[in-house]
Amino acid sequence: QVQLVESGGGLVQPGGSLKLSCAASGSISSIYFMGWYREGPGNQRESVAVHMTSGNVTKYADAVKGRFTLSTDSAKKIVFLQMNSLKPEDTAVYYCYVSDGYDYWGQGTQVTVSS
């Protein structure tokens, strides 16, 4: 059984920063994708940043380009999301995502950007 454990969410003022972490454990084989999605109030889940391990490519949503940075420690099966210059519209539940052919999701961590 695969588990994804997230940490790092919280309340931050506009312009502030947060770093999310997600550690994968359990019976997971070669990881193809690692990344983050989010669900804002009244919105559908959307991709924030997804890293393709084979090509070492990360795709970012236009809304976060230049502000968010995804990094990984593949050996430890950990994915990070550094979020800078946060805006109120970044408020959402953020979900970690890992795929080895099967898709796995974290439980979600709340990020609230408000003054």
Side-chain angles (χ1 to χ4, degrees), residues 22 33-37 49-51 70 72 79 95-99 105:
C22 172
F33 299 96
M34 302 179 77
W36 294 89
Y37 284 69
V50 178
H51 178 76
L70 182 150
T72 64
V79 58
Y95 295 91
C96 175
Y97 164 75
V98 172
S99 177
W105 296 92

Side-chain angles (χ1 to χ4, degrees), residues 34-107:
M34 302 179 77
W36 294 89
Y37 284 69
R38 69 184 181 186
E39 283 184 24
N43 295 331
Q44 292 184 332
R45 190 172 297 189
E46 62 179 2
S47 173
V48 176
V50 178
H51 178 76
M52 184 172 66
T53 58
S54 62
N56 197 28
V57 174
T58 301
K59 182 176 180 180
Y60 294 93
D62 288 341
V64 307
K65 282 181 182 176
R67 300 188 298 120
F68 290 11
T69 302
L70 182 150
S71 59
T72 64
D73 184 333
S74 296
K76 296 181 179 179
K77 299 176 184 177
I78 300 175
V79 58
F80 304 95
L81 186 68
Q82 176 67 47
M83 304 185 293
N84 299 327
S85 302
L86 282 160
K87 305 176 181 180
E89 52 264 42
D90 294 318
T91 295
V93 178
Y94 285 70
Y95 295 91
C96 175
Y97 164 75
V98 172
S99 177
D100 64 354
Y102 292 96
D103 295 341
Y104 305 101
W105 296 92
Q107 78 282 2

